[in-house]
Amino acid sequence: MNKFGYTVGNYVNINNVPKKIIGLSETHAIYYHDGCELSIPFEEIEPIRIDCDLLRKLGWIGDSSYLTIRIDDNSYFQFYMYEKRLRRIWKGTDEWQNHSYVTDILFQCHTQYLHQLQNALVLAGNQIEMNVDKIFKNKRFKIRRTATY
C-alpha cells in the first residue's frame, strides 16, 4: 500500500471516470481505459467519496444516518454517514445471561472514500460482494463530487 492508501482492486476517480486499479508502482496506479493499460501518478487520482446513494447501489440498506450490510447470520457491517465510521458487529448468545443476544464491536475505523471502505472490508477478513464492478459499468451511474446525506 502507498501513502494514499490505494491497493489493487480499488475504485478511484480518474479524469472524472471511475476506474479500477489493476496494478501499482511506487508512484503510479495502473488501470485500463478503452482496452489499453495506462498509468497515472497517485497525486492526479481523485478518491470516490462515499454517500448514501453509492452505498445503496452497493447493496447496503438503511436510512440516511446509517446503512448496514449483512456478512452472515451473526455479523454485519454498519456505516454511520455523519461520523464516516465503519463498524463490524457480531451478535451471539451470552451463556451467562440466559442466552440473550449481546453485541460486540470487532472492527471500527474512520472511512470517507470508497477505496478506504474496500480496504477496511478486506482487512476485516470479509469478501463481501458489493457489486462495485457492476455499478460502475453502468454508464448512467454518475459519481457525485460532494457527499450527500
Side-chain angles (χ1 to χ4, degrees), residues 133-148:
D133 291 324
K134 185 178 177 181
I135 69 161
F136 287 132
K137 287 181 181 174
N138 180 352
K139 301 296 183 191
R140 293 178 293 166
F141 183 82
K142 300 290 182 195
I143 295 176
R144 294 191 176 129
R145 288 292 197 178
T146 57
T148 57

Side-chain angles (χ1 to χ4, degrees), residues 45-62:
I45 295 174
E46 183 180 341
I48 298 171
R49 203 172 273 286
I50 294 173
D51 62 20
C52 285
D53 184 43
L54 175 62
L55 288 178
R56 285 188 184 111
K57 288 183 186 311
L58 293 173
W60 296 63
I61 56 173

Side-chain angles (χ1 to χ4, degrees), residues 42-81:
F42 293 128
E43 292 82 8
E44 295 179 25
I45 295 174
E46 183 180 341
I48 298 171
R49 203 172 273 286
I50 294 173
D51 62 20
C52 285
D53 184 43
L54 175 62
L55 288 178
R56 285 188 184 111
K57 288 183 186 311
L58 293 173
W60 296 63
I61 56 173
D63 59 22
S64 61
S65 60
Y66 72 89
L67 289 99
T68 302
I69 192 165
R70 181 171 296 282
I71 300 168
D72 56 34
D73 289 341
N74 294 318
S75 57
Y76 55 93
F77 283 102
Q78 282 185 332
F79 187 83
Y80 294 85
M81 292 303 301

Side-chain angles (χ1 to χ4, degrees), residues 92-100 102:
T93 57
D94 182 354
E95 296 176 18
W96 299 280
Q97 298 289 329
N98 296 324
H99 301 287
S100 62
V102 295

